Amino acid sequence: MTPADLAAQAADLAHQASVLAQNAAGVAAVVAQNAPPAAPFVYLFSIFVLACFVGYYVVWSVTPALHSPLMAVTNAISSVIIVGAMLATGLHGSMVAHVFGFLAVVLVSVNIFGGFAVTNRMLAMFKKK
Amino acid sequence: MNQSLTSFAYLVAAVLFILALRGLSHPTTSRQGNRFGMIGMVIAIAATFLHSGMDWGWALVIVLGVAIGGSIGLVVAQKIKMTALPQLVAAFHSLVGLAAVFVATSALNAPQSFGIGTPHHIHTESLIEMSIGLAIGAITFSGSLIAFAKLQALMKGTPITFRGQHQLNGGIGVAILLLVIAFVASGGSMVLFALIALLAFALGFLLIIPIGGADMPVVVSMLNSYSGWAASGIGFTIGNLALIVTGALVGSSGAILSYIMCKGMNRSIINVIAGGFGNSGDAAPVGGSNSEGKAVKHGSADDAAFIMKNASKVIVVPGYGMAVSQAQHALRELGDLLKEDGVEVKYAIHPVAGRMPGHMNVLLAEASVPYDDVFELEQINNEFATADVVYVIGANDVTNPAAKTNPQSPIYGMPILDVDKAKTVLFVKRGMSSGYAGVDNELFFRDNTMMLFGDAKKMTEEIVQALGH
């Protein structure tokens, strides 16, 4: 093999490598565009665990006299599950998703409005001397 | 709307929800907290409307759904009697549970809407999360329905027990677990999904029927906790931060309340869930003696009024009986009259009084009793020794000294209000029936106890009249 051949092969390889690199960059860009923002399980689970700790300390600081309003308001806020119901109803999924999503929206709306309203009604009753 | 902006909105909502709970640390900050909660909810809903790909036609359908559900919720919240709060909360829990089931169903049918794959090609991880959310949601739903039925007296509050109950529940639990594994392995089979839902509904039902009426504070707290975990499960499925955080908050809140309630009865959560505690407390005829032939002293409203008027300190101990007969307003009138006469009036609340945590506090607040007159067990228990009169209205087991003195008693070890230390104990009761735990209260037979037989509300009103002149 002459040095000239070697040089030619090297040039060819280099060209192939650069094409591959370009392809890879292109693929990476497409992936980056289409992939949901990184939300791997571990990441969500960390948030969950930390939130449990926050919940633990916050709830222990609630005065026992207000335990009933606490239940009512936790009820209202757990209805933030309406987010899932809305996505099911409003995005182009399937008819089943639209229907069940809508039913869920109605159910948790009872909870959201009812929960906050009854909490408010209770809290308004607590008066000082 | 930009994806990271949406996530940010959910984060803000989650923080506002934390502040909503934080506000409840004191009555003065509580209403502001509730407003934070509402703002958080509005932000979360608004952010979801702006989600990319939201179809505006269907968005109108959502608005319609919110309007329907919202108006029902508002009307119910305004109409509900405060004595019926426990069943309202139970009903609300069931709605969250059912909604979790519905959202899981939608996610299985339209996974692309939640970015968890395409139909029949859903990420394994999401299938696991989905089935967990589904199972807990279904248990919450049917369990809460039973709790509601018991609290609303649609079914008897007495425990329903049968042989092999725990084995059956255990078996169903294992079956659900196996079905979840099969469901995930099948890549999302609709049939297995439906089976999980059905078995979980059955389990929720079976878990609550053996639990008696007065254990409902624990049950309602426990279901509160479940509804949170169900929400979190769905949050993991659809990768939503607000839902995960809120679910965790609610889940731990319910767990802590269950713990507090169990401690208030000196029972383990396992013992409560196992159920079968307490009998129906069939009323014995009103009479002067019990089986041991000891006599009780009973008096009239006039006697009670006379004793109270001459006291310098009266402590009121309300229980579930006060709620049942709606005596809180008459009770407040009584307190007002005594205060006018210069008598010091305080209220002592046992942690498990009523049918949900904090129930008595709300009822007294409803009757305009100032909250700084109302005390928890640890705060006031030392004061009974200095009280001239204790007015026990609708409570029984939480005053029973047997909890301290009789190791054989089913309530032994339960923290009690030391009403026996007061100079005189006035007991308003309909008859000589034992309390929920089915044990005699030796207090009835003490020399310094006077029984006032009658309905709690009527008796209190009569005392008010007697005080009037």
Side-chain angles (χ1 to χ4, degrees):
Chain A
M1 209 179 271
T2 65
D5 281 343
L6 268 177
Q9 274 187 354
D12 198 34
L13 273 175
H15 177 68
Q16 279 181 10
S18 82
V19 168
L20 275 176
Q22 272 178 4
N23 281 348
V27 169
V30 170
V31 168
Q33 262 181 3
N34 291 342
F41 179 74
V42 177
Y43 165 74
L44 292 178
F45 193 68
S46 317
I47 293 176
F48 173 74
V49 172
L50 293 177
C52 285
F53 276 91
V54 172
Y56 180 85
Y57 287 106
V58 170
V59 171
W60 272 116
S61 76
V62 172
T63 170
L66 295 180
H67 276 163
S68 284
L70 171 68
M71 291 203 116
V73 85
T74 50
N75 217 296
I77 64 173
S78 62
S79 307
V80 74
I81 199 168
I82 193 172
V83 168
M86 286 172 68
L87 292 179
T89 317
L91 301 185
H92 295 284
S94 66
M95 204 54 207
V96 178
H98 286 311
V99 172
F100 277 98
F102 174 73
L103 291 177
V105 166
V106 176
L107 292 182
V108 288
S109 297
V110 175
N111 243 340
I112 293 174
F113 284 80
F116 281 122
V118 86
T119 308
N120 201 43
R121 213 181 122 197
M122 273 188 255
L123 293 177
M125 292 171 182
F126 281 86
K127 289 190 195 80
K128 241 179 129 60
K129 245 181 265 193
Chain B
M1 193 155 108
N2 183 308
Q3 186 101 44
S4 51
L5 213 57
T6 319
S7 301
F8 185 71
Y10 289 140
L11 174 68
V12 172
V15 170
L16 285 167
F17 291 155
I18 295 173
L19 291 177
L21 300 193
R22 177 71 197 143
L24 292 171
S25 58
H26 197 272
T28 48
T29 55
S30 57
R31 296 189 77 186
Q32 178 61 37
N34 201 34
R35 274 192 285 277
F36 282 140
M38 290 189 240
I39 297 170
M41 190 59 76
V42 169
I43 290 176
I45 292 176
T48 313
F49 268 125
L50 297 173
H51 193 283
S52 58
M54 180 63 72
D55 180 285
W56 286 106
W58 282 107
L60 283 178
V61 176
I62 295 175
V63 173
L64 178 73
V66 172
I68 297 172
S71 25
I72 297 173
L74 282 179
V75 170
V76 170
Q78 294 311 319
K79 290 258 160 81
I80 194 82
K81 278 194 177 145
M82 283 296 143
T83 40
L85 263 181
Q87 46 267 50
L88 177 75
V89 168
F92 278 173
H93 287 156
S94 75
L95 295 183
V96 177
L98 193 57
V101 172
F102 286 172
V103 174
T105 310
S106 304
L108 180 65
N109 277 281
Q112 67 278 17
S113 296
F114 302 97
I116 55 171
T118 52
H120 310 297
H121 297 95
I122 304 177
H123 306 157
T124 307
E125 206 180 273
S126 306
L127 284 175
I128 301 173
E129 294 154 358
M130 186 190 296
S131 46
I132 294 175
L134 165 74
I136 305 178
I139 292 174
T140 310
F141 171 65
S142 55
S144 301
L145 277 190
I146 300 298
F148 172 80
K150 286 199 173 196
L151 289 163
Q152 183 71 28
L154 296 176
M155 65 187 272
K156 286 189 88 175
T158 44
I160 298 171
T161 48
F162 52 87
R163 275 174 64 112
Q165 191 160 29
H166 302 312
Q167 287 82 344
L168 177 65
N169 292 349
I172 295 179
V174 172
I176 291 177
L177 211 69
L178 293 176
L179 280 172
V180 166
I181 295 170
F183 169 73
V184 174
S186 74
S189 147
M190 301 267 177
V191 178
L192 291 174
F193 184 88
L195 274 178
I196 296 173
L198 280 180
L199 279 186
F201 281 137
L203 184 59
F205 176 81
L206 288 167
L207 276 176
I208 308 302
I209 54 167
I211 305 180
D215 278 345
M216 280 301 143
V218 185
V219 172
V220 174
S221 317
M222 213 171 65
L223 292 166
N224 186 235
S225 185
Y226 287 180
S227 71
W229 304 132
S232 254
I234 299 298
F236 276 112
T237 316
I238 67 175
N240 184 286
L241 192 135
L243 203 39
I244 292 176
V245 172
T246 312
L249 291 178
V250 177
S252 31
S253 164
I256 290 172
L257 289 177
S258 312
Y259 169 79
I260 295 174
M261 293 300 109
C262 284
K263 223 175 119 223
M265 298 190 290
N266 188 41
R267 293 171 56 201
S268 71
I269 184 88
I270 303 291
N271 181 291
V272 174
I273 295 170
F277 187 80
N279 63 12
S280 51
D282 286 328
V286 176
S289 66
N290 77 340
S291 48
E292 293 159 48
K294 281 187 287 188
V296 302
K297 202 162 69 176
H298 57 99
S300 67
D302 290 322
D303 300 332
F306 179 76
I307 295 172
M308 283 192 193
K309 213 171 190 165
N310 291 304
S312 61
K313 183 171 181 176
V314 173
I315 299 180
V316 179
V317 176
Y320 183 59
M322 178 195 83
V324 172
S325 77
Q326 300 265 15
Q328 63 269 32
H329 298 281
L331 197 59
R332 201 255 310 142
E333 258 183 86
L334 174 65
D336 286 351
L337 282 176
L338 289 174
K339 279 184 192 168
E340 275 171 31
D341 283 347
V343 182
E344 189 185 356
V345 180
K346 288 183 172 180
Y347 300 79
I349 313 274
H350 191 275
V352 294
R355 286 290 189 263
M356 77 185 281
H359 194 192
M360 289 299 124
N361 302 77
V362 171
L363 293 179
L364 290 176
E366 184 196 15
S368 313
V369 172
Y371 62 77
D372 26 12
D373 281 351
V374 183
F375 298 89
E376 306 302 319
L377 181 133
E378 302 89 48
Q379 296 171 311
I380 202 167
N381 229 2
N382 293 327
E383 284 192 39
F384 283 106
T386 62
D388 300 293
V389 176
V390 174
Y391 187 62
V392 185
I393 173 167
N396 184 357
D397 289 337
V398 298
T399 64
N400 195 337
K404 283 187 170 167
T405 55
N406 180 4
Q408 262 78 53
S409 172
I411 58 168
Y412 183 68
M414 178 171 106
I416 57 158
L417 292 161
D418 297 327
V419 300
D420 53 326
K421 299 223 170 91
K423 279 204 196 92
T424 308
V425 183
L426 299 173
F427 244 107
V428 186
K429 259 183 123 317
R430 268 198 293 251
M432 281 301 289
S433 63
S434 53
Y436 167 65
V439 283
D440 271 335
N441 192 342
E442 60 176 89
L443 268 186
F444 299 167
F445 310 105
R446 294 215 174 160
D447 290 338
N448 63 344
T449 301
M450 183 189 276
M451 302 302 291
L452 305 168
F453 290 115
D455 173 73
K457 185 180 176 188
K458 249 183 94 194
M459 180 56 70
T460 308
E461 280 169 349
E462 280 168 27
I463 299 175
V464 167
Q465 270 185 350
L467 278 175
H469 42 73

